[in-house]
């Protein structure tokens, strides 16, 4: 008799929300196999190699299971009770002595993939009473939120490409074949891209690297780093010049069209081609194809966001989609309507909080409840009123993920007190006084609150925990409740996440309390473990716009006023002869940011952290395949093997992000054996998109020499 059982859930590592099927033995808590769930209505059996590692994280001997405290002679296990009491005491004492803002909070990427934390973090941050909040959003997608806020009325009203119905997809600065899509939840994205081609459509990629996505595209245009805003302006110029502007059903719902026309006059292809590295003809053809296609969508992501002009890029991407008649229509840029609708009850016309506060040291804007991470080290290290004296990091590893990570490590080391809520003793958490480990992955229940909001199809799915946590373990949200209670006397989230989910599902657009025949509630999701399909994306504007005017604001002055900064770049590009190369990042199929490298099956094989450099540059510097090279910047240097390839532009070099695990004092034994170095040992914290405060990783000026 076999006791092998089957469990269905969503993988929550990345944004793709793949459904997986897990065979396991209940009694011994042993996992037999992990496969794609063919009956998931959204992912239809797709998954990537990382999902297999969910087993590794579950079984990982290095994973922390109880709170640990730093003592004179090393780390020691302590009880939850003691941990909360000491944290409560320290945080309160520091905030009483130096003010509420003396506590800093950093939230990392896995929070967005964590059901409980998606709900508890807002009230938790509020309970802590500090404005000094930071997150990986500002080393990633903040420009998207700023553009949506100003143009559509809410930072979370973000358009996604209707990839399954489009005839023409222009991908700028994204590599979804490897990343599996971002701000575009589309499990099995490779199939979705090739389906465009099979139905006679076209995919064009604009990227300084010939990525895996570029390789399957119909056309790849190499672009010089950080020049995307110029390309977008020029495409917009061509569409006006050719009289091809049409707004479709939004013709009465757009403000600022004349301002855009006026502004775009300055950017004919002839004026920008040389700077961006794309020919006049190619720009003109691209504009003609985009406006001539039955339906088309421009999708721009990381490459057009983590750069000095991220704000401009995300603004202009929306403009391009609007003026080609591809906004809020099938095959264009559309708005998901999730069952748990984050925008439920939001009313139009709320004044923006953008820049309501400025960071103390670098005067960077506060937005979406946070300051830019690029300025965190300064806020800790610069003495004076309002200095951060204590920190809590929650599911984040900014020592490896933030610009000038080494300096941030030193800053953490200088704090009076630091707490990390994390599953590993790693490059960031090693600076903490107390580490609080949460349950993770298969031990947690899951509902993707955020990524259903960015999905290319409306679906809903709840995952129960596969294995009940042990008596001694706590979920992330319970830990944060424990801290809030110790500091304020009250939990931050007084209800269980499941209760809130059930209530939101019922009150949502497909809920029991609506006239939708879906009649969704938690019970129904539990009865449908493969997930429920809620249909393709539907046009929903102008009804869902949240701007005060009720229209799309095409030309907010915030963006228009940022153009002179861009123009300066054309007139006088600042190239430091000491750092003549432009460094960009790349993602790897088998690693996820900084934290999956302790899975032996994901990291086996040779060191993937190489410097990609063009043969012309390698020749000039006398660098051969595999030779060790030094990459240096004013901030620091790293040494790694060269990979000579014409997959990168001349003058551009590329390194994987998310590595650098051989630091002393960490306890990720598999990861520590990896030779990969951290790209953020050379990126600079003063390189930001000054408009949005987002880190500008792309195009970091570096020098290269043989080691
Ligand atoms: N140069 C360069 N830098 C980059 C990027 C780049 O492309 N180039 N990419 C940027 C992007 S897009 C992002 S999102 C950021 C990511 O930046 P971060 O969010 O700071 O980095 P992560 O690697 O996601 O850190 C995850 C942390 O959460 C912990 N963790 C994992 N699961 C759980 C859990 O269930 N509970 C808890 N409590 N902890 C958990 C891990 O151990 C790890 O410490 O990096 C950014 N940095
Ligand atoms: N396997 C894997 N998947 C992941 C992750 C991972 O670490 N590993 N991380 C997840 C996270 S947190 C995120 S945010 C998403 C990101 O997903 P994507 O947005 O697809 O990001 P990347 O894969 O980094 O691709 C960004 C591309 O921009 C290009 N680029 C760099 N500079 C410029 C520029 O100036 N202009 C243009 N046009 N392009 C430029 C780079 O060459 C790169 O190909 O991926 C997620 N998925
Ligand atoms: S693509 Fe993302 S969600 Fe899908 S299996 Fe891979 S890591 Fe998990
Ligand atoms: Mo990210």
């Amino acid at each position: 008799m076999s006791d092998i059982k089957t469990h269905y859930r969503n993988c929550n590592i990345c944004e793709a929300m793949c459904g997986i099927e897990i065979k396991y033995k209940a009694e011994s808590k042993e996992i037999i196999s992990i496969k794609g769930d063919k009956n998931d209505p959204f992912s239809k059996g797709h998954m990537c190699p990382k999902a297999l590692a969910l087993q590794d994280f579950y079984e990982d001997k290095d994973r922390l299971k109880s709170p640990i405290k730093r003592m004179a002679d090393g780390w020691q296990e302590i009880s939850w009770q003691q941990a909360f009491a000491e944290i409560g005491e320290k945080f309160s004492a520091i905030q009483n002595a130096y003010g509420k803002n003396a506590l800093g909070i950093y939230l990392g990427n896995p929070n967005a993939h964590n059901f409980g934390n998606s709900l508890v973090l807002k009230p938790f941050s509020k309970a802590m009473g500090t404005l000094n909040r930071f997150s990986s959003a500002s080393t990633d997608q903040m420009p998207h939120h700023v553009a949506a806020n100003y143009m559509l009325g809410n930072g979370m009203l973000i358009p996604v490409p209707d990839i399954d119905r489009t005839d023409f997809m222009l991908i700028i600065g994204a590599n979804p074949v490897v990343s599996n899509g971002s701000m575009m939840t589309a499990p099995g994205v490779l199939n979705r891209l090739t389906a465009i081609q099979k139905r006679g459509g076209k995919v064009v990629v604009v990227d300084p690297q010939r990525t895996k996505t570029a390789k399957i595209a119909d056309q790849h245009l190499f672009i010089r780093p950080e020049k995307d805003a110029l390309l977008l302006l020029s495409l917009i110029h061509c569409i006006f010049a050719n009289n091809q502007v049409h707004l479709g059903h939004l013709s009465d719902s757009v403000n600022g069209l004349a301002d855009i026309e006026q502004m775009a006059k300055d950017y004919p292809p002839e004026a920008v081609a040389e700077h961006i590295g794309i020919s006049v003809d190619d720009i003109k053809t691209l504009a003609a194809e985009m406006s001539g296609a039955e339906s088309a969508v421009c999708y721009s992501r990381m490459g057009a966001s983590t750069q000095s002009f991220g704000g401009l890029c995300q603004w202009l991407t929306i403009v391009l989609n609007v003026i080609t008649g591809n906004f809020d229509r099938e095959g264009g840029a559309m708005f998901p309507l999730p069952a748990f609708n984050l925008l439920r009850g939001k009313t139009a016309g709320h004044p923006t909080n953008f820049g309501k506060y400025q960071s103390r040291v670098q005067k960077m804007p506060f937005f979406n409840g946070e300051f830019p991470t690029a300025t965190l080290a300064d806020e800790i290290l610069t003495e004076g009123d309002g200095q951060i004296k204590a920190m809590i990091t929650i599911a984040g590893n900014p020592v490896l993920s933030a610009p000038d990570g080494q300096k941030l490590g030193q800053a953490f080391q200088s704090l009076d007190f630091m707490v990390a809520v994390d599953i590993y003793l790693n490059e960031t958490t090693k600076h903490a006084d107390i580490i609080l480990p949460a349950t993770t992955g298969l031990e947690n229940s899951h509902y993707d609150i955020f990524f259903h909001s960015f999905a290319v199809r409306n679906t809903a799915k709840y995952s129960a925990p596969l294995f009940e946590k042990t008596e001694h373990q706590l979920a992330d949200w319970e830990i944060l409740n424990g801290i809030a209670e110790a500091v304020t006397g009250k939990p931050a989230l007084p209800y269980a996440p499941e209760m809130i989910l059930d209530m939101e599902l019922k009150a949502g657009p497909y809920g029991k309390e609506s006239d939708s025949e879906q009649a969704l509630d938690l019970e129904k999701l539990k009865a449908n473990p493969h997930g429920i399909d809620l249909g393709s994306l539907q046009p929903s504007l102008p009804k869902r716009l949240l701007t005060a005017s009720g229209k799309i604001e095409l030309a907010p002055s915030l963006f228009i006023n940022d153009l002179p900064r861009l123009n300066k770049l054309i007139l006088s590009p600042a190239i430091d002869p000491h750092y003549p190369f432009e460094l960009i990042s790349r993602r790897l199929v088998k690693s996820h940011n900084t934290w999956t490298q302790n899975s032996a099956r994901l990291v086996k094989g040779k060191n993937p952290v190489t410097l990609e450099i063009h043969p012309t540059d390698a020749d000039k510097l006398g660098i051969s395949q595999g030779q060790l090279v030094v990459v240096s910047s004013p901030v620091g240097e790293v040494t790694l093997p060269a990979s000579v390839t014409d997959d990168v532009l001349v003058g551009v070099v590329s390194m994987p992000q998310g590595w650098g695990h051989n630091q002393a004092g960490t306890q990720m034994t598999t990861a520590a054996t990896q030779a990969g170095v951290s790209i953020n040992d050379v990126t600079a914290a003063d390189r930001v998109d000054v408009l949005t405060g987002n880190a500008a990783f792309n195009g970091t000026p570096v020098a290269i020499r043989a080691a």
Side-chain angles (χ1 to χ4, degrees):
M1 205 183 71
S2 150
D3 68 341
I4 294 180
K5 294 190 167 155
T6 309
H7 169 81
Y8 299 101
R9 67 185 295 111
N10 265 2
C11 171
N12 69 331
I13 296 174
C14 90
E15 300 178 34
M17 300 199 310
C18 299
I20 52 176
E21 178 195 278
I22 304 179
K23 299 269 187 212
Y24 69 103
K25 288 187 184 163
E27 203 134 312
S28 56
K29 292 191 167 183
E30 198 183 329
I31 293 164
I32 312 287
S33 69
I34 300 180
K35 290 194 182 123
D37 176 6
K38 290 195 180 66
N39 293 317
D40 182 295
F42 196 16
S43 61
K44 298 190 171 143
H46 173 82
M47 69 169 211
C48 85
K50 285 186 291 182
L52 297 173
L54 286 168
Q55 175 179 3
D56 303 345
F57 308 138
Y58 177 68
E59 293 169 355
D60 194 342
K61 301 260 182 305
D62 286 337
R63 179 157 68 92
L64 301 174
K65 295 275 175 58
S66 54
I68 53 174
K69 180 182 174 181
R70 176 203 303 282
M71 306 285 203
D73 55 350
W75 293 95
Q76 218 172 71
E77 283 192 13
I78 57 173
S79 70
W80 286 103
Q81 213 179 358
Q82 183 187 346
F84 291 141
E86 287 190 17
I87 293 166
E89 209 172 286
K90 283 279 190 188
F91 279 178
S92 302
I94 288 170
Q95 286 189 307
N96 286 339
Y98 302 103
K100 291 276 188 199
N101 294 341
L103 174 66
I105 303 177
Y106 174 85
L107 310 178
N109 171 276
N111 288 301
H113 301 271
N114 181 308
F115 173 36
N117 279 10
S118 304
L119 298 172
V120 75
L121 283 169
K122 222 175 171 175
F124 174 79
S125 299
K126 208 171 158 203
M128 293 298 108
T130 173
L131 283 178
N132 272 322
R133 309 195 288 257
F134 304 81
S135 88
S136 57
S138 61
T139 56
D140 184 348
Q141 83 284 358
M142 194 53 90
H144 293 255
H145 297 299
V146 176
N149 178 62
Y150 276 88
M151 303 179 76
L152 309 170
N154 190 287
M156 285 302 287
L157 189 59
I158 289 177
V160 304
D162 187 16
I163 187 171
D164 293 339
R165 291 179 293 188
T166 196
D167 298 299
F168 186 89
M169 188 157 172
L170 170 57
I171 300 177
I172 301 182
N175 185 11
V177 171
V178 170
S179 71
N180 294 295
S182 182
M183 323 250 1
M184 170 178 75
T185 289
V189 72
L190 175 59
N191 290 339
R192 293 175 201 266
L193 286 170
T194 51
I196 298 175
Q197 299 167 320
K198 282 184 195 144
R199 59 179 178 264
K202 191 171 172 182
V203 177
V204 180
V205 170
V206 174
D207 198 303
Q209 307 186 70
R210 189 185 292 116
T211 59
K212 286 203 161 83
T213 308
K215 283 175 185 165
I216 63 107
D218 299 276
Q219 188 182 16
H220 170 216
L221 298 166
F222 277 108
I223 188 168
R224 301 222 59 89
E226 303 199 290
K227 304 295 186 288
D228 307 273
L230 289 176
L231 172 66
L232 287 160
L233 283 162
S234 196
L235 292 172
I236 293 165
H237 171 99
C238 294
I239 285 153
F240 276 102
N242 300 337
N243 279 319
Q244 279 161 331
V245 173
H246 65 105
L247 304 176
H249 71 293
L250 297 173
S251 57
D252 291 330
S253 305
V254 171
N255 276 339
L257 191 63
D259 296 330
I260 296 293
E261 179 169 18
Q262 189 57 35
M263 160 199 92
K265 285 202 169 116
D266 294 341
Y267 302 92
E270 293 76 7
V272 303
E274 205 185 306
H275 298 283
I276 65 182
I278 298 178
S279 74
V280 171
D281 279 353
D282 280 339
I283 298 173
K284 286 184 173 168
T285 307
L286 191 53
E289 286 182 333
M290 176 100 193
S291 54
E294 195 59 45
S295 67
V297 66
C298 173
Y299 163 67
S300 69
R301 206 28 213 107
M302 280 285 293
S305 186
T306 57
Q307 58 150 289
S308 304
F309 302 100
L312 290 181
C313 287
Q314 294 311 326
W315 164 52
L316 295 166
T317 299
I318 295 181
V319 170
L320 182 62
N321 286 324
V322 170
I323 65 167
T324 53
N326 286 303
F327 208 59
D328 188 44
R329 62 159 291 207
E330 279 186 24
M334 299 194 78
F335 297 89
L337 186 60
F340 185 135
N341 184 9
L342 286 169
L343 296 172
R344 189 175 74 82
K346 291 268 184 293
T347 49
H350 280 284
T352 163
N353 277 330
F354 182 84
K356 183 173 170 192
Y357 310 103
Q358 289 196 318
S359 65
R360 181 177 63 103
V361 182
Q362 299 293 350
K363 311 288 173 227
M364 289 201 214
F366 184 86
F367 181 60
N368 246 10
E370 60 188 86
F371 287 117
T373 291
T375 193
L376 175 54
D378 289 333
E379 292 297 329
I380 299 172
L381 292 170
T382 311
E383 283 178 21
D385 241 13
Q387 182 185 4
I388 295 176
K389 298 277 192 183
M391 275 297 301
I392 176 168
T393 63
I394 304 166
N397 190 2
V399 170
L400 295 190
S401 72
D404 200 353
Q406 293 277 357
K407 183 170 160 192
L408 201 48
Q410 287 156 17
F412 288 155
Q413 198 55 42
S414 77
L415 290 164
D416 289 357
F417 186 64
M418 174 169 165
V419 175
V421 182
D422 207 287
I423 57 176
Y424 286 116
L425 175 51
N426 66 18
E427 302 71 27
T428 293
T429 63
K430 73 173 186 180
H431 298 290
D433 295 284
I434 294 179
I435 306 178
L436 305 173
T439 52
T440 191
L442 305 177
E443 298 158 336
N444 286 343
S445 62
H446 191 58
Y447 183 90
D448 246 300
I449 291 185
F450 287 111
F451 298 105
H452 282 297
S453 307
F454 302 135
V456 302
R457 195 173 173 86
N458 294 316
T459 61
K461 180 163 175 174
Y462 172 79
S463 313
L466 169 57
F467 299 127
E468 286 303 329
K469 61 181 174 157
T470 62
E471 225 170 90
H472 188 59
Q473 284 181 295
L474 294 177
D476 276 290
W477 70 275
E478 294 172 312
I479 295 174
L480 296 174
N481 262 353
I483 295 173
E485 210 160 351
V487 175
T488 69
K490 277 193 307 225
L493 192 73
Y495 311 102
E498 266 75 2
M499 223 172 122
I500 300 173
L501 174 63
D502 187 46
M503 192 194 86
E504 286 292 337
L505 288 171
K506 284 177 181 156
Y510 316 91
K512 251 193 157 148
E513 293 159 12
S514 75
D515 48 17
S516 160
E517 48 192 58
Q518 292 290 349
L520 284 194
D521 62 4
L522 183 56
E523 204 186 312
K524 183 160 175 190
L525 289 194
K526 282 184 173 169
N528 290 273
H530 302 289
I532 294 178
D533 186 38
L534 301 168
S536 51
L537 307 186
Q538 300 297 322
S540 60
L541 301 191
K543 209 172 125 210
R544 287 177 69 199
L545 289 172
L546 291 166
T547 47
S549 60
K551 298 188 180 194
I552 298 168
E553 295 296 345
L554 224 45
S557 54
L558 181 87
F559 299 111
I560 299 271
N561 294 341
D562 198 32
L563 287 169
R565 190 170 65 93
L566 179 73
N567 296 343
K568 216 171 107 190
L569 169 95
I570 310 182
L571 299 175
S572 51
I575 294 167
D576 182 340
H578 300 295
Y579 301 104
F581 286 91
E582 293 180 278
L583 175 66
I584 58 174
S585 322
R586 62 178 194 269
R587 291 186 143 68
L588 305 176
V589 172
K590 289 195 187 167
S591 61
H592 196 80
N593 296 340
T594 79
W595 68 272
T596 56
Q597 285 86 332
N598 216 40
S599 158
R601 84 175 89 198
L602 287 185
V603 295
K604 72 165 186 270
K606 68 175 201 272
N607 175 13
V609 184
T610 61
L611 184 80
E612 292 197 347
I613 181 164
H614 193 275
T616 307
D617 293 325
D619 273 356
K620 246 194 258 168
L621 298 171
I623 289 167
S624 52
Q625 193 68 264
Q627 187 179 340
L628 283 181
V629 291
V630 180
V631 180
S632 63
S633 78
V635 163
E637 61 176 49
V638 291
T639 304
L640 71 170
S643 167
V644 180
T645 167
D646 66 1
D647 282 349
V648 287
L649 264 180
V650 175
V652 174
V653 289
S654 133
M655 260 179 81
Q657 53 85 235
W659 290 71
H661 298 84
N662 42 16
Q663 287 190 15
T666 62
Q667 191 193 317
M668 290 175 76
T669 40
T670 307
T673 61
Q674 304 302 308
V677 292
S678 174
I679 186 171
N680 290 321
D681 286 357
V682 292
T683 57
D686 60 1
R687 288 193 94 247
V688 292
D689 172 20
V690 294
L691 191 72
T692 63
N694 205 82
F697 296 116
N698 309 353
T700 295
V702 293
I704 311 290
R705 63 172 200 272

